[in-house]
Amino acid sequence: MSGQSTHHEPRPAETADDGDGGFPPGPDGRPVIGNTLQFTSDPHAFYDELASYGDVVGYSVARQRMTTVLHPDLVQQVLVTDSEKFGKWDISDFGTEFAPDGLLFTEGAQWREQRTLAQPAFQLDRVRSYGDAMATYARELVDDLDDGETIAANERFSELTMRILADSLFDLDVDGSEAGAAITRAAEALNERADPDGLGTFVPQWVPTPSNRRFTGAMAEFEETVDRLVAERRATDDGARDGDAHDDLLAMLMRAGEDGDGMSDRELRDTMLTFLFAGHETTSLALTYTTYLLAEHPDVADRLREEIDDAVDGDTPDTIDVFGLEYLDRVCTESMRLYPPAYVVFREAREDVELGGYEIPAGTKLTLPQFHIHHDERWYDAPGEFRPDRWTDEFEASLPEYAYFPFGGGPRHCIGMRFAMLELKLVLATLLRHCRFEYRGDGPPEPTMGATYQPTEDVRLRVTKR
Ligand code: HEM
């Protein structure tokens, strides 16, 4: 398949003084609803409108200068080439506050040290060792599904990814322990706050609404639980080195700090909370949208099932089985193009920067919207269509690198990418081996723009066992 391989230059503004070195042109006087994340009641239409101004668009929200970047080369400049000139948004810009000392929100030297400590836990051989848990829980889900049953896929996958995370992060069974239950409550509280329809994000955290009390309570409980787990493990001392020691991410992070320069207890806690937040709904959404797309494209599902049946000997696929399954790879890639679970990357200019011929003053907040760039006709033929076969080697080679960036890019790209991809593939392979799905919703799912790209309604799928 050809794709659109010509590498277009960034589009200048069509309206005003293009590329004259000033602040980029864009719409003025937008009404502001809620916090800065929710620009209007219809963000898709808003971003379409922004695109009419060019590839670098300037505007302001609540007197805050904003710039949206719509060209892959400029995305690359922000995330990679000039990454040191851009920082993260402050967590309070998202209307909430959690884990300020965790990997997602720290900056500078603190971030670098944390990333270095956490990195080994996500290396390929380590990630493979979590594959067993991923496959086991996926198989349990399959056993739990009844032939003919209609499920809310988003809910079932949210439970599944929670189980897998609790096991991989803390070696905990969510059903079998109070600590596991506390961790699930924390994940639920984070999701509730991140829900764009919930009032949570409009009300400061200190106002004692029931939702805020629930959130504060769940966070306190999470902190106590992690502190207790850490203390217990320290008390059994070299537990991490014993044969029957824990082999989870918490153990990895604790071990990384044994020589002195480890994380403080607070950083450890915030980093675990960050993994829980960053790794739970994102992966669940990738599973939800992929199964929806497979249900709507039985030809793709049949071909994928054939590839999986050929590769898998036993009843349940394992890590080795899913490596190198080319079609599975293409299906996952195409699904996250259409429905990127993390749909916008946020940055803030730390100094004055030149971007596509414009001046971006220090303090400007930038958005780099995957959901928009992944649908740009300059890079993708029929961008709205689910076509796994577009991902040929030639097409990938012709595509500007940052025309596709579901996991971000540059030094702060997703540390959990391999973990998420393995989970996605193992779960899909297990599901397809034992089930067929039929979509039962009215019209395609409509993603909302909360903390993640969650669908407004449950994604209902009818299951047939095979
Ligand atoms: C399909 C699933 C996932 C998607 C789409 C996704 C997407 C992303 C994106 C776009 C970023 C970059 C954010 C930025 O630059 O501002 C990111 C960062 C991050 N992700 Fe993921 N993620 C996924 C799964 C996971 C998992 C499973 C984990 C952990 C278990 C995880 C942990 C993190 C962390 C800690 C960061 C911050 C890294 C840093 O700043 O150094 N993610 N993710």
Side-chain angles (χ1 to χ4, degrees), residues 120-368:
F122 289 96
Q123 267 156 12
L124 194 56
D125 54 334
R126 296 294 317 166
V127 166
R128 277 188 187 163
S129 72
Y130 305 124
D132 285 349
M134 293 171 181
T136 304
Y137 288 111
R139 182 62 220 229
E140 274 180 26
L141 171 62
V142 165
D143 291 343
D144 212 34
L145 296 174
D146 293 326
D147 190 37
E149 183 187 2
T150 296
I151 57 165
N154 45 311
E155 281 179 14
R156 299 304 280 262
F157 291 139
S158 184
E159 285 165 20
L160 174 66
T161 57
M162 185 65 226
R163 288 205 149 81
I164 292 172
L165 265 186
D167 191 304
S168 320
L169 296 175
F170 299 103
D171 212 357
L172 284 175
D173 179 351
V174 293
D175 299 322
S177 67
E178 189 38 44
I183 282 160
T184 309
R185 280 193 289 275
E188 282 165 1
L190 286 173
N191 286 338
E192 186 184 341
R193 275 203 88 74
D195 178 355
D197 298 328
L199 272 179
T201 45
F202 294 94
V203 184
Q205 202 174 315
W206 49 265
V207 179
T209 62
S211 144
N212 275 353
R213 259 187 255 125
R214 227 174 3 256
F215 180 75
T216 313
M219 289 305 114
E221 199 186 8
F222 178 86
E223 290 184 5
E224 278 165 31
T225 305
V226 177
D227 285 351
R228 205 178 50 248
L229 290 173
V230 170
E232 278 167 16
R233 290 184 187 196
R234 289 212 168 110
T236 50
D237 194 25
D238 300 321
R241 282 192 221 117
D242 288 350
D244 62 352
H246 293 283
D247 192 23
D248 51 16
L249 283 164
L250 179 59
M252 287 292 296
L253 287 186
M254 289 179 66
R255 221 174 300 164
E258 273 178 348
D259 302 334
D261 283 340
M263 289 186 192
S264 68
D265 280 5
R266 189 188 164 114
E267 286 178 302
L268 202 56
R269 234 196 270 136
D270 278 7
T271 293
M272 295 310 279
L273 189 60
T274 302
F275 289 158
L276 199 59
F277 173 72
H280 177 217
E281 274 309 302
T282 44
T283 319
S284 160
L285 288 179
L287 284 167
T288 302
Y289 289 122
T290 312
T291 35
Y292 153 74
L293 287 164
L294 290 172
E296 287 290 77
H297 296 86
D299 50 326
V300 176
D302 285 345
R303 197 173 135 195
L304 182 56
R305 198 171 280 113
E306 221 168 274
E307 183 186 59
I308 291 163
D309 285 348
D310 279 351
V312 180
D313 271 344
D315 201 29
T316 308
D318 64 23
T319 307
I320 304 296
D321 292 331
V322 295
F323 267 100
L325 292 191
E326 198 173 296
Y327 197 56
L328 179 58
D329 204 60
R330 288 184 184 181
V331 165
C332 295
T333 304
E334 178 70 346
S335 158
M336 282 192 288
R337 180 183 71 78
L338 285 169
Y339 296 99
Y343 60 97
V344 172
V345 172
F346 301 92
R347 287 293 183 272
E348 186 174 320
R350 294 279 179 253
E351 53 186 270
D352 297 348
V353 193
E354 191 274 336
L355 198 62
Y358 297 103
E359 265 168 35
I360 310 297
T364 304
K365 289 195 192 301
L366 289 91
T367 64
L368 321 177

Side-chain angles (χ1 to χ4, degrees), residues 88 103-104 111 115 278-279 282 347 406-408 412 414-416 420:
K88 291 270 194 148
L103 195 52
L104 199 56
W111 165 76
R115 179 97 190 190
T282 44
R347 287 293 183 272
F407 292 101
R412 300 208 69 151
C414 179
I415 200 171

Side-chain angles (χ1 to χ4, degrees), residues 2 70 209 220 276 333 348 368 395 399 402 405 461 463:
S2 68
L70 297 172
T209 62
L276 199 59
T333 304
E348 186 174 320
L368 321 177
F395 175 66
L399 200 62
Y402 282 82
F405 60 115
L461 298 176
V463 182

Side-chain angles (χ1 to χ4, degrees), residues 2-14:
S2 68
Q4 262 124 56
S5 52
T6 334
H7 196 134
H8 302 256
E9 292 300 313
R11 280 177 298 148
E14 283 163 14

